[in-house]
Each structure stands twice: as structure tokens, then as C-alpha cells.
Amino acid sequence: MWDPRELQHRVKEVGADLRSVPYFMRKRGVLCLRLGPVDFRAANALKQELLARGGDAVVHGGAIAGTVYRTRVILMGTPGQLRSLQEKLAHMPYFGLEEVRSGLKAALDNLDISNWEVPLPGGRVLSLGRITKVMGIINLTPDSFFPGSRHQGPDGALETAERMLSQGAHVLDLGAESTRPGSDPVSPEEELTRMLPPLRAIRREFPEAVISVDTYRSATARACAAEGADMVNDISGLSFDPEMARTVADSGCALVLMHIKGRPKDMQQNPTYRDLLGEISDFFEHQMDLAERGGIPRDRIILDPGIGFGKTYQHNLEILRQLEAFSTHGRPILIGASRKSTVGIATDSKDPEDRLEGTLAITSLCAMRGIALVRVHDVEENVKTIKMIEAVKEAGL
């Protein structure tokens, strides 16, 4: 539910009269779905149909008079009111309303999904959705931004994996190349040299563990899948390597499809967005379509909005404040904010070593909002935080 500042910002963004904010405030405790620019006649029809059902729509102030040709729209209504609107739009095949109806139906259908069975190789599944689950980070690099997460060689990685699994980690995420802002890529050969021995050791010792590999290279993903990896965590969301979709499809691995703007070397050089949440959502839809064309069914995809990857501090906070914006895609959401600079700025903690409390606050937020998976350095502390939140959520039920 949008707070007053958020609602005023969105009303202004649409171009509506700001004097309408107090009126819309009375209706903010309902679903608010944003549409891209539509024909002004469609916008007027949507507003009238929702008003007739007890809902409303925010449109540009010039839409009624027709002084603007297209306008963004915020649909405001209960699920029942919006379902009724969707049904009525089936009888209104004009002004682009059929496309609106299709998108509205998909969004409402997806909002009803809260549990997922993500297929993994070998017939196993990763169950997500009832409670927030934890992905533990195992960095096989000498230069990751948080020194406490660096584990070089199979022995160190194996020890960390054992500890994380005993503490309640549901997924282990192995990464052999630092993708911190400003980092340079390593060679494909070096990535595999770092990745494969620990992967083999962990798979051998923990055959039932769910193992993810953090890579954007199809060759690395292919080699890791052959050694028992269950999931590919691609920070590029299939945008860096044109062979990645087919590789993941052939492997049977699940896919974490992350949003990024730019590349790690330059992604924090003044990233800008016209519509942050809308652009991330458009990226997800486009890349999921690409994944499906490459042979990856949507039920194997997890979405990650990419905290810190081509986003400013304010961008990251907006994503965290509006986590529900991505639920219309119908896929589980992963949030990876552990000890990142956003936590450091918010808590005045320059050293990543001092960012645990801020990270736990974000994990609490994610658990309250029903986020499926959090990617963290400190498994035990985050698992306990989620248990506390779940206890509060379940109290009296």
C-alpha cells in the first residue's frame, strides 16, 4: 500500500491534478496497478468503468479533454473490482483495451500465485513461497567486496558449505568472479579453475544440497552443470552471453534471472531510469520470453531485481520499498542486498564488516513481504531473523 508521499509522487508522475491526492488517499488501501501509456480514450473508459465498480483510476489531467493523446494509468481497486473490470473489457475491443484486458488478467492471475515448485536436475524440486528461504554466498575469489565471504579452494568452500547447511541454508551459491562495482572480469579459464574443484567437493559430500553457480558465461554454466550444479545465477539476466539460454535449457538447471544496467566495470557510473520499476519489469518480461524461446520454461525461473547492479542508493531503496511491484510476473523473487553499499549508506557503516544489522533489517522486510529467497553472507543470523518474522506472521492463525 502506497504511503501519502508515494501516492503524491505517482499522481504527479501521471500528470493528474495534485488537488486530487486527498481524494485518492481514501482509496489507497487497495491494489494499485500501473499501466504504460495508453490511448486517452482507453484511459477515460478505464476510469469510468472502475468508478462504476467503486474503484478509480489516476490518469493525466488532459485525458478528459483530449489534450493529451496518451497517458499512463494507475488502476485502483480491490481484486474483485479489477476482476470485474477485466471481464467487462472482453466486450470492449477498441482503443487498445483488449491489450489492457490481457495484461490485467495476467497480472491478477500472477498475484494469486504464492507458492512455487521450481524443477531441478534429477527430478528434484526447490519449494519456495511458504516462508522466505536463504541462499548462502560462497565466494571463491580473492577480491569480493566482503572479505569474510572469501573462500579459496575446495577445503575452505567445503567447510563453509557444511556450516551453512547446518545453519539452515536452502541453497548454496558459488561464485568465482567478483562482480562488485568497478571490477574487471577474470578469464573463463580462471573462473573454471576456481569453481570446479569446490563444486565437485560440495556435491560429493552433500549430494542433496541445492547448489547454484554465479556466472554469466555459458561455458562455465555448462561445465558446472556437468559436475552437479542445480541452478545458474546469471547477473546479466541472459544478456551477456547469447548461448546461455540454450545452455541452461539443455542442463535442466533452474535460472536466477537478474536485472542489471551496464556491466560490473561501469554499471555504477551515473545509472539513470525514467521509470525504474517499469523498466525492470519490462526487462524481466523480455528476458523471460527470450528464456522460453531458448527452451527454459517459466517454472524454472527466479527473478532478481539486482540491488546494486546499475542502481543508485535511492534506486535500491525504491526497489526495497516496492517489492510487490514484481509479483505481477508470477515468479519467485530473490533479493541480494547482504552487506552492500546501500546498507552502508543507510546505517553509516563504511566497512562491510559493520553491515550485518542493516542486512537483517532488509531480510525482515523481505520476510514480511513474502519474498521467496534472500541471498546472504551470514546464514545463521538471517535464518533466525526469518524465524522471528514468521512467528509474528503466524501468531493467532
Side-chain angles (χ1 to χ4, degrees), residues 7 22 75 98 107 121-122 130 150 156 160 173 183 217 249 291 325 333 335:
L7 182 60
L75 303 179
E98 174 56 31
R130 194 181 72 80
R150 300 171 188 169
T160 300
D173 190 46
S183 61
R217 294 187 178 94
I333 303 299
I335 293 296

Side-chain angles (χ1 to χ4, degrees), residues 16-278:
D17 191 330
L18 288 177
R19 291 174 295 180
S20 67
V21 171
Y23 176 75
F24 289 122
M25 278 286 294
R26 298 194 296 270
K27 301 185 177 184
R28 68 191 176 102
V30 297
L31 290 176
C32 296
L33 300 179
R34 292 192 292 169
L35 305 180
V38 301
D39 187 294
F40 76 96
R41 295 167 297 181
N44 289 332
L46 291 168
K47 186 174 183 70
Q48 291 305 312
E49 292 294 337
L50 270 175
L51 283 169
R53 289 162 174 77
D56 208 336
V58 184
V59 303
H60 191 284
I64 300 298
T67 57
V68 296
Y69 180 65
R70 297 179 71 79
T71 173
R72 296 180 184 179
V73 179
I74 301 171
L75 303 179
M76 306 174 71
T78 65
Q81 290 164 346
L82 293 172
R83 284 288 184 190
S84 177
L85 171 65
Q86 171 211 315
E87 293 166 3
K88 178 63 180 292
L89 292 179
H91 306 287
M92 302 170 67
Y94 42 78
F95 307 147
L97 288 170
E98 174 56 31
E99 183 179 357
V100 172
R101 186 200 68 81
S102 177
L104 179 59
K105 181 180 186 306
L108 292 172
D109 288 348
N110 287 336
L111 284 171
D112 290 337
I113 302 172
S114 58
N115 294 282
W116 300 267
E117 297 292 315
V118 180
L120 302 174
R124 295 184 301 150
V125 297
L126 175 63
S127 298
L128 296 173
R130 194 181 72 80
I131 65 171
T132 298
K133 292 191 172 180
V134 169
M135 172 187 277
I137 301 168
I138 302 179
N139 283 321
L140 309 171
T141 60
D143 57 345
S144 294
F145 80 93
F146 176 44
S149 69
R150 300 171 188 169
H151 305 283
Q152 298 182 58
D155 292 341
L158 188 60
E159 180 181 341
T160 300
E162 182 176 17
R163 183 181 72 253
M164 287 183 168
L165 291 171
S166 70
Q167 293 171 343
H170 303 89
V171 183
L172 302 174
D173 190 46
L174 279 61
E177 175 180 304
S178 175
T179 51
R180 71 189 190 285
S183 61
D184 291 310
V186 301
S187 69
E189 295 77 17
E190 178 64 20
E191 185 181 30
L192 282 173
T193 297
R194 295 175 179 178
M195 182 82 83
L196 291 182
L199 171 60
R200 292 184 186 119
I202 295 171
R203 175 52 71 213
R204 182 178 61 251
E205 292 298 318
F206 303 103
E208 296 305 313
V210 178
I211 303 176
S212 166
V213 290
D214 182 352
T215 184
Y216 54 81
R217 294 187 178 94
S218 61
T220 302
R222 186 179 305 109
C224 290
E227 297 291 345
D230 300 298
M231 183 183 298
V232 175
N233 182 6
D234 182 359
I235 65 159
S236 82
L238 304 180
S239 66
F240 289 178
D241 187 334
E243 299 300 317
M244 182 63 96
R246 176 54 59 187
T247 297
V248 174
D250 292 343
S251 72
C253 287
L255 172 69
V256 177
L257 193 157
M258 196 193 82
H259 175 271
I260 188 172
K261 190 164 192 175
R263 286 179 174 260
K265 183 68 175 177
D266 61 11
M267 63 188 179
Q268 292 307 106
Q269 295 176 11
N270 192 33
T272 57
Y273 298 83
R274 184 175 182 272
D275 177 4
L276 174 68
L277 302 179

